[in-house]
Amino acid sequence: MRFDFVKCHGSGNDFPLIDARALDLDDSVWAGVARALADRRGPVGGDGLLLLTDGDKLHDFGMRMFNSDGSEAETCLNGLRCVARAGFEALAVDRAEVRLKTSSAHAERDADLATGVVTIRETAGPAELDVTHWPLRGAGHQIVQQSIGNLPSARLFTAVAMPNPHLVSFVDAIDEAELVAVGTVCEAAPDWLPNRANVSFVELRGMDLFVRTFERGVGLTDSCGSAMAASVFAACLTGRVEFGVELSVFNRGGLVRAQAESDGMVRLSGNATYDWSGSADVDVDRGIAGDVTVDRHFNNEIAAWAAVVDGIA
């Protein structure tokens, strides 16, 4: 099978994005496409696969996100901005209600973060604190600044679903080896956490945050939008940041502007950058991509985002 796609990223969280509105394929096929196109060892690579899907009576269009291992995530807020951009361009609109796997989100064009950086503001939530819905078993209904006995760490965690599950710990300095160790336990889908969870270590830098995430179905990643949203809400919930105040959230891929409200809604404003567009053959059964054709490089967008990242360093 051959697919057209755009290689894009939100805050360094990169994906092939397919306009799937006219494609009727089984989930097992999309899982194979994700494993092929998002394979870092292959010719495209990415943190997952994004799909722009049809809307319905309540939504202008939809989004699906498959991780690089073929599993489907409830959402991906960095990816949502990219899908929203594609949907805006397809429908000639600048705001939309977007259907996600288990929830909805609002997206709209925002003032550019920097010259030449296409910027989308997204509103997602409400944040969910009841971990029995994940499920996370044996820790009660809520985890706020608590240790979790099944993890190989004595750190305190706060559990937030956005709507995908996140364990957030605030640290003085990020220990990546420890983060990977904790993330690996969650990734193994133990009996007490059968649907796995994302794990983030977060540094408070003045009034801003720096987030490092071990992402479910991906591993250690330069950026995870829902992790940034969960981290902002957790920071407000634990009194580190005030609700209703906009701050910058940094990661290895760049940054977003974020604001959490006491009702659980979180707004993120960040880039939706196109790197290149093209097509590839996909062997769905083997999860292999090949014969990639590049039709266009978005050099101006690449340079504009590089200037933002260089300004952070």
Side-chain angles (χ1 to χ4, degrees), residues 57-103:
K57 291 182 179 179
L58 299 177
H59 305 92
D60 299 282
F61 50 83
M63 166 189 147
R64 299 184 71 182
M65 186 276 193
F66 289 84
N67 294 310
S68 56
D69 67 355
S71 61
E72 185 173 5
E74 290 89 346
T75 189
C76 170
L77 295 183
N78 286 331
L80 172 59
R81 297 197 303 276
C82 296
V83 172
R85 175 181 175 177
F88 293 168
E89 293 172 356
L91 301 179
V93 299
D94 59 8
R95 62 182 59 225
E97 300 301 319
V98 187
R99 183 183 64 248
L100 308 177
K101 182 181 179 183
T102 61
S103 61

Side-chain angles (χ1 to χ4, degrees), residues 85-127:
R85 175 181 175 177
F88 293 168
E89 293 172 356
L91 301 179
V93 299
D94 59 8
R95 62 182 59 225
E97 300 301 319
V98 187
R99 183 183 64 248
L100 308 177
K101 182 181 179 183
T102 61
S103 61
S104 299
H106 175 79
E108 60 185 75
R109 277 299 304 265
D110 202 358
D112 289 351
L113 284 172
T115 301
V117 176
V118 176
T119 302
I120 307 293
R121 178 174 288 273
E122 57 198 340
T123 303

Side-chain angles (χ1 to χ4, degrees), residues 56-302:
D56 53 31
K57 291 182 179 179
L58 299 177
H59 305 92
D60 299 282
F61 50 83
M63 166 189 147
R64 299 184 71 182
M65 186 276 193
F66 289 84
N67 294 310
S68 56
D69 67 355
S71 61
E72 185 173 5
E74 290 89 346
T75 189
C76 170
L77 295 183
N78 286 331
L80 172 59
R81 297 197 303 276
C82 296
V83 172
R85 175 181 175 177
F88 293 168
E89 293 172 356
L91 301 179
V93 299
D94 59 8
R95 62 182 59 225
E97 300 301 319
V98 187
R99 183 183 64 248
L100 308 177
K101 182 181 179 183
T102 61
S103 61
S104 299
H106 175 79
E108 60 185 75
R109 277 299 304 265
D110 202 358
D112 289 351
L113 284 172
T115 301
V117 176
V118 176
T119 302
I120 307 293
R121 178 174 288 273
E122 57 198 340
T123 303
E128 170 64 64
L129 297 178
D130 190 341
V131 299
T132 64
H133 295 164
W134 295 16
L136 190 158
R137 302 184 176 112
H141 284 267
Q142 292 188 5
I143 299 171
V144 179
Q145 287 289 95
Q146 298 175 27
S147 61
I148 300 175
N150 291 314
L151 295 179
S153 171
R155 295 191 186 276
L156 304 181
F157 289 87
T158 297
V160 181
M162 285 299 307
N164 46 346
H166 292 269
L167 295 173
V168 178
S169 183
F170 294 92
V171 302
D172 293 329
I174 292 170
D175 182 333
E176 285 197 358
E178 183 183 4
L179 175 59
V180 169
V182 175
T184 300
V185 169
C186 295
E187 185 71 2
D191 290 343
W192 58 273
L193 189 64
N195 294 321
R196 306 178 295 174
N198 305 281
V199 182
S200 293
F201 284 178
V202 182
E203 296 177 10
L204 191 64
R205 297 182 175 180
M207 291 303 296
D208 298 323
L209 304 179
F210 181 87
V211 180
R212 192 81 167 112
T213 301
F214 190 100
E215 186 174 359
R216 179 181 60 169
V218 178
L220 199 62
T221 181
D222 284 349
S223 180
C224 175
S226 59
M228 290 187 286
S231 297
V232 172
F233 187 80
C236 293
L237 188 68
T238 58
R240 291 175 167 84
V241 177
E242 291 185 17
F243 284 111
V245 175
E246 189 175 63
L247 65 152
S248 294
V249 185
F250 297 91
N251 53 62
R252 289 210 172 168
L255 80 157
V256 298
R257 297 292 293 170
Q259 181 174 325
E261 304 294 345
S262 57
D263 63 1
M265 303 305 291
V266 180
R267 291 190 292 276
L268 297 183
S269 184
N271 72 301
T273 298
Y274 288 175
D275 285 336
W276 55 276
S277 61
S279 60
D281 286 335
V282 172
D283 184 328
V284 173
D285 293 333
R286 298 168 64 198
I288 297 174
D291 190 22
V292 174
T293 299
V294 178
D295 299 323
R296 177 185 176 187
H297 287 284
F298 294 82
N299 293 324
N300 290 339
E301 295 194 32
I302 294 170

